[in-house]
Amino acid sequence: MNLKYFFLGCLLLPASLLIGQNGIVRGKVFDKETGEPIIYGSVRLMNTNLGDNTDLDGFFAIPNVPPGDYKLLATYIGYDSSVVDVTLTGGGIVFKNIYLNQAAVELSGVDISARKEQARADVQISRISITTKQIRSLPSTGGEPDIAQYLPVLPGIISTGDQGGQLYIRGGAPVQNRILLDGMTIYNPFHSIGFFSVFETEAIRSVDVLTGGFNAEHGGRISAIVDIKTREGNRKKFTGLVSASPFQSKVLFEGPIKKLKETGGGSTSFLFTGKHSYLDQTSKLFYNYATDTSFFSFASGDTSLADLIKEIGLPFSFTDMYGKLSFIGDNGSKLNLFGFNFTDRFNFVNIADLSWNNIGGGANFTLIPQNSNLVMEGLIAGSNYLISLKEPDGRPRSSEINTFSAIMNFTAFHTNGQLNYGFEFTGFNTDFRFRNAVDVSFEQRDFNTEIAGYIKLKQQLGNIIFEPGLRMQYFASQADFQLEPRLGVKVNLSEGFRFKFAGGLYSQNLISTVNELDVVNLFVGFLAGPERSLFKPNSREPADDRLQRAVHAIAGVEIDLGKNAELNVEPYYKGFTQLISINRNKLSPTDPDFETETGRAYGIDFSFRREAKNLYLWATYSLSYVDRNDGRQQYYTVFDRRHNVNLLTTYTFGQKRNWEAGARWNLGSGFPFTQTQGFYQNVNFQDLLLTDVLTGNSNIGTILSERRNDGRLSYYHRLDVSLKRSFELSRNSRIDATLSVTNAYNRENVFYVDRITNSRVNQLPVLPALTLTYAF
């Protein structure tokens, strides 16, 4: 507890830095042609050492500026510089909108890139920022770039399969990773086919992946955060695109309702995107051979059913729609209204019919008061997620979660730093129904309230960036209050060598219906933590609380290898001090509904990036260990991949740079599995009058090894390639033709082996696709 008070003291001590008699220069930087914000641009007061870098909204703030007349210089790679005059009075605040023109001559290199400038100014440990350009560079399945396919390229992120696989981030299960869309939590953001998410790449402004050690502004999860922000619609002109491939088609339309003008007055714009898959139809024509793999092995040798499946195609379908209306004020304040409707269905004839729908919307805003040092941000949002599964056994399985959230964040700028604090209210209803193999039912209908507050200081002291934080979390249904100290530190040892550290305590109340023992489980439901007694692993000793908890400790170094290349190395440790899951094997209604275990995830991640005018290289290697302890034994999880390598390259060529070639290769060591020791006849002793114990043909049961996950599957490796050609029709329109091949050399990667039939089920075979996109 003394450590927690120490963190609080560190936060309150520098509060006096926020008070001063000098003024503030702030504003936003835009692309003059499109009205898009300039991200991580440089803004400096000439002939001084005062300046700032723009954020994701193009916003900058330069505090503690003495009164006087200045020239404000804004620069960004590939744009002409712009200078505006500024006159500041004592204690005054000046706001300036700056517009940059794209440079007539494209620069092939610069001494300091925007990314490296950000690296020197922020802690950024276990944080990877992804741009839409990077997502597009990935050779993608179906020729449609998607964040779901890009995430496994990042160090520390593992996908368990091409079909219905889950994403695990540095040892954290999917429910322990919080996915945010414009600040709002999205449940189950990945479609059943596994290759596609609910997010439209062309609508994304930025993606921040925090694989651990995140600071106090984030909470409610114990492993990782994926923060996705969409952009506003074009503020200058109406634009859009239409795209089609064998996997899906999509549209995007955007434009101004009130145009952005340099003379001021604000603007209003809209953005709408929609996509729909028709793989269930096109697979019958193009990918008939692919039905020999994936879920169709569930038929257990039923050749007639397999033939039927070949006739109906791959039974995956989804539809995603997202819309946004943006109001931008003359002083930089803004209001966004957004809504979405995501649906998914997996209809496997005579086996399973699974469908889910996620609908919601909300409003987020940024308020920049004219006479205040504070910048305020807020969110009000709500959603409903419903999933159901129908199977021949007739056992009900459904899950629904209704969520409402309200968030307020405040930022106060001071010399060489800033203070962030805020509040978050989340209420959610859960309705879960499940019946296991022995007809024991589990139901939960519950309402939960979570209230959180946080405070975080960012202060630069010479070459050191210091970020202490404290999150205060109250779980009303558990009557539990948690203090969670966080800390981030970066030391700029030289111009091109930086050391960093982060750590903290984390907790969460949300539980998933997906069990970590499952290789594939498309039914992704959610429920709240237990409100009744919970016991420590494999005992009747009461647990200290009824929350999932973890501790993170991460270190790292960043090395600049020249002006176009960089190397990042991060060893990490996550201790999962309590994990909670549904007791799906309960034999009677009196057995506990939940069971607990502990776990660890530790390892080291290497990443290398080189970015030049025509060439982009990205290489990663991860060495990791992930285990669990259920009180009976310690074992490696089914997603414990000891070695994982990713190589990605993109090369642009041609006289007009209208050709782009890409390749991605992934190598991963085999996942663990529990080995089979023998078989037996599973005789039904409940009806002895009609059961012939001696000569009857009963179902075959398996005898598993006493050691869980004591075997390993073979290594996985896959090559994806793509080739894109752009045809410029006019200054504002073009057609892109993309040829992509997934699993180019048709590697037979094992998914799992059916224990009864000993038949091997492989992941997807070679999948070629041609995609056409018309942009205007």
mmCIF file of all heavy atoms in Angstrom, residues 604-631:
data_model
loop_
_atom_site.group_PDB
_atom_site.id
_atom_site.type_symbol
_atom_site.label_atom_id
_atom_site.label_comp_id
_atom_site.label_asym_id
_atom_site.label_seq_id
_atom_site.Cartn_x
_atom_site.Cartn_y
_atom_site.Cartn_z
ATOM 1 N N ILE A 604 11.006 -12.494 -25.048
ATOM 2 C CA ILE A 604 11.683 -11.331 -25.609
ATOM 3 C C ILE A 604 11.278 -11.174 -27.068
ATOM 4 O O ILE A 604 11.154 -12.165 -27.794
ATOM 5 C CB ILE A 604 13.220 -11.462 -25.463
ATOM 6 C CG1 ILE A 604 13.911 -10.181 -25.930
ATOM 7 C CG2 ILE A 604 13.745 -12.687 -26.197
ATOM 8 C CD1 ILE A 604 15.389 -10.131 -25.566
ATOM 9 N N ASP A 605 11.007 -9.934 -27.462
ATOM 10 C CA ASP A 605 10.582 -9.612 -28.831
ATOM 11 C C ASP A 605 11.628 -8.721 -29.498
ATOM 12 O O ASP A 605 12.105 -7.752 -28.893
ATOM 13 C CB ASP A 605 9.234 -8.879 -28.825
ATOM 14 C CG ASP A 605 8.078 -9.765 -28.399
ATOM 15 O OD1 ASP A 605 8.161 -10.992 -28.621
ATOM 16 O OD2 ASP A 605 7.096 -9.238 -27.849
ATOM 17 N N PHE A 606 11.941 -9.068 -30.747
ATOM 18 C CA PHE A 606 12.832 -8.264 -31.578
ATOM 19 C C PHE A 606 12.042 -7.784 -32.795
ATOM 20 O O PHE A 606 11.305 -8.559 -33.408
ATOM 21 C CB PHE A 606 14.037 -9.075 -32.069
ATOM 22 C CG PHE A 606 14.923 -9.616 -30.991
ATOM 23 C CD1 PHE A 606 14.609 -10.796 -30.332
ATOM 24 C CD2 PHE A 606 16.084 -8.948 -30.621
ATOM 25 C CE1 PHE A 606 15.428 -11.309 -29.345
ATOM 26 C CE2 PHE A 606 16.907 -9.448 -29.624
ATOM 27 C CZ PHE A 606 16.588 -10.628 -28.982
ATOM 28 N N SER A 607 12.222 -6.512 -33.155
ATOM 29 C CA SER A 607 11.608 -6.009 -34.383
ATOM 30 C C SER A 607 12.583 -5.076 -35.086
ATOM 31 O O SER A 607 13.278 -4.275 -34.444
ATOM 32 C CB SER A 607 10.287 -5.291 -34.096
ATOM 33 O OG SER A 607 10.490 -4.149 -33.294
ATOM 34 N N PHE A 608 12.622 -5.185 -36.412
ATOM 35 C CA PHE A 608 13.498 -4.366 -37.246
ATOM 36 C C PHE A 608 12.654 -3.741 -38.341
ATOM 37 O O PHE A 608 11.837 -4.410 -38.966
ATOM 38 C CB PHE A 608 14.618 -5.220 -37.859
ATOM 39 C CG PHE A 608 15.408 -4.505 -38.928
ATOM 40 C CD1 PHE A 608 16.429 -3.632 -38.587
ATOM 41 C CD2 PHE A 608 15.109 -4.695 -40.273
ATOM 42 C CE1 PHE A 608 17.154 -2.967 -39.566
ATOM 43 C CE2 PHE A 608 15.831 -4.038 -41.264
ATOM 44 C CZ PHE A 608 16.862 -3.166 -40.912
ATOM 45 N N ARG A 609 12.868 -2.451 -38.579
ATOM 46 C CA ARG A 609 12.134 -1.736 -39.606
ATOM 47 C C ARG A 609 13.114 -0.909 -40.441
ATOM 48 O O ARG A 609 13.980 -0.212 -39.909
ATOM 49 C CB ARG A 609 11.099 -0.797 -38.979
ATOM 50 C CG ARG A 609 10.197 -0.077 -39.991
ATOM 51 C CD ARG A 609 9.633 1.213 -39.403
ATOM 52 N NE ARG A 609 9.042 1.030 -38.103
ATOM 53 C CZ ARG A 609 7.726 0.939 -37.881
ATOM 54 N NH1 ARG A 609 6.871 1.026 -38.876
ATOM 55 N NH2 ARG A 609 7.268 0.790 -36.653
ATOM 56 N N ARG A 610 12.938 -1.000 -41.773
ATOM 57 C CA ARG A 610 13.686 -0.121 -42.671
ATOM 58 C C ARG A 610 12.712 0.447 -43.696
ATOM 59 O O ARG A 610 11.980 -0.303 -44.345
ATOM 60 C CB ARG A 610 14.820 -0.849 -43.386
ATOM 61 C CG ARG A 610 15.697 0.096 -44.228
ATOM 62 C CD ARG A 610 16.830 -0.626 -44.926
ATOM 63 N NE ARG A 610 17.755 0.323 -45.533
ATOM 64 C CZ ARG A 610 17.575 0.903 -46.722
ATOM 65 N NH1 ARG A 610 16.486 0.615 -47.440
ATOM 66 N NH2 ARG A 610 18.459 1.759 -47.196
ATOM 67 N N GLU A 611 12.719 1.756 -43.800
ATOM 68 C CA GLU A 611 11.759 2.414 -44.675
ATOM 69 C C GLU A 611 12.478 3.439 -45.541
ATOM 70 O O GLU A 611 13.086 4.385 -45.036
ATOM 71 C CB GLU A 611 10.670 3.095 -43.837
ATOM 72 C CG GLU A 611 9.458 3.511 -44.631
ATOM 73 C CD GLU A 611 8.270 3.839 -43.743
ATOM 74 O OE1 GLU A 611 8.416 3.753 -42.502
ATOM 75 O OE2 GLU A 611 7.210 4.172 -44.290
ATOM 76 N N ALA A 612 12.473 3.211 -46.858
ATOM 77 C CA ALA A 612 13.064 4.127 -47.817
ATOM 78 C C ALA A 612 11.990 4.572 -48.797
ATOM 79 O O ALA A 612 10.799 4.267 -48.628
ATOM 80 C CB ALA A 612 14.232 3.466 -48.537
ATOM 81 N N LYS A 613 12.402 5.263 -49.852
ATOM 82 C CA LYS A 613 11.437 5.826 -50.791
ATOM 83 C C LYS A 613 10.610 4.740 -51.464
ATOM 84 O O LYS A 613 9.388 4.843 -51.565
ATOM 85 C CB LYS A 613 12.162 6.665 -51.834
ATOM 86 C CG LYS A 613 11.246 7.301 -52.872
ATOM 87 C CD LYS A 613 12.029 8.162 -53.825
ATOM 88 C CE LYS A 613 11.103 8.797 -54.866
ATOM 89 N NZ LYS A 613 11.841 9.655 -55.818
ATOM 90 N N ASN A 614 11.263 3.660 -51.934
ATOM 91 C CA ASN A 614 10.573 2.607 -52.682
ATOM 92 C C ASN A 614 10.469 1.289 -51.936
ATOM 93 O O ASN A 614 9.794 0.374 -52.409
ATOM 94 C CB ASN A 614 11.284 2.356 -54.018
ATOM 95 C CG ASN A 614 11.221 3.545 -54.951
ATOM 96 O OD1 ASN A 614 10.269 4.318 -54.893
ATOM 97 N ND2 ASN A 614 12.222 3.708 -55.783
ATOM 98 N N LEU A 615 11.162 1.175 -50.800
ATOM 99 C CA LEU A 615 11.275 -0.129 -50.140
ATOM 100 C C LEU A 615 10.875 -0.025 -48.678
ATOM 101 O O LEU A 615 11.274 0.905 -47.970
ATOM 102 C CB LEU A 615 12.718 -0.631 -50.246
ATOM 103 C CG LEU A 615 13.015 -1.999 -49.617
ATOM 104 C CD1 LEU A 615 12.269 -3.097 -50.376
ATOM 105 C CD2 LEU A 615 14.511 -2.269 -49.609
ATOM 106 N N TYR A 616 10.071 -1.010 -48.239
ATOM 107 C CA TYR A 616 9.683 -1.117 -46.835
ATOM 108 C C TYR A 616 10.009 -2.534 -46.369
ATOM 109 O O TYR A 616 9.608 -3.520 -46.999
ATOM 110 C CB TYR A 616 8.194 -0.837 -46.660
ATOM 111 C CG TYR A 616 7.681 -1.031 -45.248
ATOM 112 C CD1 TYR A 616 7.934 -0.089 -44.259
ATOM 113 C CD2 TYR A 616 6.948 -2.158 -44.902
ATOM 114 C CE1 TYR A 616 7.472 -0.260 -42.968
ATOM 115 C CE2 TYR A 616 6.475 -2.343 -43.618
ATOM 116 C CZ TYR A 616 6.733 -1.391 -42.651
ATOM 117 O OH TYR A 616 6.284 -1.564 -41.378
ATOM 118 N N LEU A 617 10.770 -2.653 -45.276
ATOM 119 C CA LEU A 617 11.133 -3.948 -44.704
ATOM 120 C C LEU A 617 10.700 -3.993 -43.242
ATOM 121 O O LEU A 617 10.903 -3.028 -42.500
ATOM 122 C CB LEU A 617 12.650 -4.172 -44.790
ATOM 123 C CG LEU A 617 13.277 -4.329 -46.166
ATOM 124 C CD1 LEU A 617 14.789 -4.394 -46.047
ATOM 125 C CD2 LEU A 617 12.756 -5.585 -46.858
ATOM 126 N N TRP A 618 10.135 -5.123 -42.852
ATOM 127 C CA TRP A 618 9.711 -5.321 -41.455
ATOM 128 C C TRP A 618 10.020 -6.765 -41.089
ATOM 129 O O TRP A 618 9.613 -7.700 -41.792
ATOM 130 C CB TRP A 618 8.225 -5.030 -41.314
ATOM 131 C CG TRP A 618 7.605 -5.374 -39.993
ATOM 132 C CD1 TRP A 618 6.822 -6.457 -39.706
ATOM 133 C CD2 TRP A 618 7.701 -4.639 -38.771
ATOM 134 N NE1 TRP A 618 6.423 -6.433 -38.399
ATOM 135 C CE2 TRP A 618 6.953 -5.322 -37.800
ATOM 136 C CE3 TRP A 618 8.349 -3.451 -38.423
ATOM 137 C CZ2 TRP A 618 6.832 -4.866 -36.493
ATOM 138 C CZ3 TRP A 618 8.241 -3.002 -37.112
ATOM 139 C CH2 TRP A 618 7.483 -3.710 -36.159
ATOM 140 N N ALA A 619 10.780 -6.957 -40.005
ATOM 141 C CA ALA A 619 11.161 -8.299 -39.573
ATOM 142 C C ALA A 619 11.018 -8.391 -38.062
ATOM 143 O O ALA A 619 11.407 -7.469 -37.332
ATOM 144 C CB ALA A 619 12.595 -8.607 -39.989
ATOM 145 N N THR A 620 10.454 -9.500 -37.587
ATOM 146 C CA THR A 620 10.287 -9.706 -36.149
ATOM 147 C C THR A 620 10.662 -11.129 -35.771
ATOM 148 O O THR A 620 10.533 -12.063 -36.572
ATOM 149 C CB THR A 620 8.836 -9.453 -35.700
ATOM 150 O OG1 THR A 620 7.984 -10.491 -36.223
ATOM 151 C CG2 THR A 620 8.342 -8.106 -36.177
ATOM 152 N N TYR A 621 11.131 -11.273 -34.547
ATOM 153 C CA TYR A 621 11.341 -12.593 -33.952
ATOM 154 C C TYR A 621 10.892 -12.537 -32.500
ATOM 155 O O TYR A 621 11.230 -11.601 -31.764
ATOM 156 C CB TYR A 621 12.804 -13.032 -34.017
ATOM 157 C CG TYR A 621 13.078 -14.247 -33.150
ATOM 158 C CD1 TYR A 621 12.593 -15.507 -33.514
ATOM 159 C CD2 TYR A 621 13.769 -14.125 -31.944
ATOM 160 C CE1 TYR A 621 12.815 -16.610 -32.713
ATOM 161 C CE2 TYR A 621 13.999 -15.233 -31.134
ATOM 162 C CZ TYR A 621 13.523 -16.471 -31.518
ATOM 163 O OH TYR A 621 13.720 -17.567 -30.723
ATOM 164 N N SER A 622 10.128 -13.546 -32.092
ATOM 165 C CA SER A 622 9.635 -13.621 -30.718
ATOM 166 C C SER A 622 10.004 -14.962 -30.104
ATOM 167 O O SER A 622 9.761 -16.018 -30.706
ATOM 168 C CB SER A 622 8.112 -13.452 -30.669
ATOM 169 O OG SER A 622 7.730 -12.171 -31.119
ATOM 170 N N LEU A 623 10.593 -14.911 -28.926
ATOM 171 C CA LEU A 623 10.830 -16.088 -28.091
ATOM 172 C C LEU A 623 9.926 -15.955 -26.884
ATOM 173 O O LEU A 623 10.040 -14.990 -26.123
ATOM 174 C CB LEU A 623 12.292 -16.161 -27.664
ATOM 175 C CG LEU A 623 12.642 -17.241 -26.633
ATOM 176 C CD1 LEU A 623 12.475 -18.631 -27.245
ATOM 177 C CD2 LEU A 623 14.066 -17.048 -26.101
ATOM 178 N N SER A 624 8.999 -16.899 -26.704
ATOM 179 C CA SER A 624 7.996 -16.724 -25.648
ATOM 180 C C SER A 624 7.683 -18.033 -24.945
ATOM 181 O O SER A 624 7.833 -19.126 -25.521
ATOM 182 C CB SER A 624 6.705 -16.130 -26.225
ATOM 183 O OG SER A 624 6.134 -17.013 -27.167
ATOM 184 N N TYR A 625 7.239 -17.885 -23.695
ATOM 185 C CA TYR A 625 6.788 -19.005 -22.870
ATOM 186 C C TYR A 625 5.474 -18.592 -22.215
ATOM 187 O O TYR A 625 5.399 -17.529 -21.581
ATOM 188 C CB TYR A 625 7.809 -19.338 -21.778
ATOM 189 C CG TYR A 625 9.158 -19.772 -22.292
ATOM 190 C CD1 TYR A 625 10.102 -18.832 -22.706
ATOM 191 C CD2 TYR A 625 9.508 -21.114 -22.351
ATOM 192 C CE1 TYR A 625 11.341 -19.219 -23.175
ATOM 193 C CE2 TYR A 625 10.753 -21.522 -22.818
ATOM 194 C CZ TYR A 625 11.663 -20.562 -23.227
ATOM 195 O OH TYR A 625 12.896 -20.964 -23.698
ATOM 196 N N VAL A 626 4.440 -19.418 -22.360
ATOM 197 C CA VAL A 626 3.140 -19.130 -21.747
ATOM 198 C C VAL A 626 2.659 -20.396 -21.045
ATOM 199 O O VAL A 626 2.492 -21.440 -21.687
ATOM 200 C CB VAL A 626 2.087 -18.701 -22.794
ATOM 201 C CG1 VAL A 626 0.791 -18.311 -22.089
ATOM 202 C CG2 VAL A 626 2.603 -17.556 -23.646
ATOM 203 N N ASP A 627 2.449 -20.318 -19.732
ATOM 204 C CA ASP A 627 1.985 -21.499 -19.003
ATOM 205 C C ASP A 627 0.865 -21.128 -18.045
ATOM 206 O O ASP A 627 0.609 -19.956 -17.770
ATOM 207 C CB ASP A 627 3.136 -22.193 -18.269
ATOM 208 C CG ASP A 627 3.798 -21.314 -17.199
ATOM 209 O OD1 ASP A 627 3.094 -20.497 -16.570
ATOM 210 O OD2 ASP A 627 5.009 -21.437 -16.989
ATOM 211 N N ARG A 628 0.180 -22.145 -17.566
ATOM 212 C CA ARG A 628 -0.893 -22.014 -16.596
ATOM 213 C C ARG A 628 -0.702 -23.058 -15.498
ATOM 214 O O ARG A 628 -0.082 -24.113 -15.715
ATOM 215 C CB ARG A 628 -2.266 -22.220 -17.258
ATOM 216 C CG ARG A 628 -2.590 -21.202 -18.348
ATOM 217 C CD ARG A 628 -2.888 -19.839 -17.779
ATOM 218 N NE ARG A 628 -3.372 -18.905 -18.782
ATOM 219 C CZ ARG A 628 -2.622 -17.983 -19.384
ATOM 220 N NH1 ARG A 628 -1.329 -17.885 -19.074
ATOM 221 N NH2 ARG A 628 -3.136 -17.161 -20.276
ATOM 222 N N ASN A 629 -1.293 -22.774 -14.323
ATOM 223 C CA ASN A 629 -1.261 -23.703 -13.199
ATOM 224 C C ASN A 629 -2.672 -23.778 -12.618
ATOM 225 O O ASN A 629 -3.174 -22.792 -12.080
ATOM 226 C CB ASN A 629 -0.269 -23.240 -12.142
ATOM 227 C CG ASN A 629 0.002 -24.295 -11.082
ATOM 228 O OD1 ASN A 629 -0.885 -25.077 -10.725
ATOM 229 N ND2 ASN A 629 1.216 -24.324 -10.566
ATOM 230 N N ASP A 630 -3.314 -24.951 -12.773
ATOM 231 C CA ASP A 630 -4.688 -25.113 -12.295
ATOM 232 C C ASP A 630 -4.759 -25.730 -10.909
ATOM 233 O O ASP A 630 -5.830 -26.160 -10.461
ATOM 234 C CB ASP A 630 -5.496 -25.961 -13.280
ATOM 235 C CG ASP A 630 -4.937 -27.368 -13.454
ATOM 236 O OD1 ASP A 630 -3.932 -27.707 -12.786
ATOM 237 O OD2 ASP A 630 -5.495 -28.130 -14.262
ATOM 238 N N GLY A 631 -3.623 -25.795 -10.205
ATOM 239 C CA GLY A 631 -3.581 -26.396 -8.877
ATOM 240 C C GLY A 631 -3.272 -27.866 -8.905
ATOM 241 O O GLY A 631 -2.892 -28.437 -7.874
#
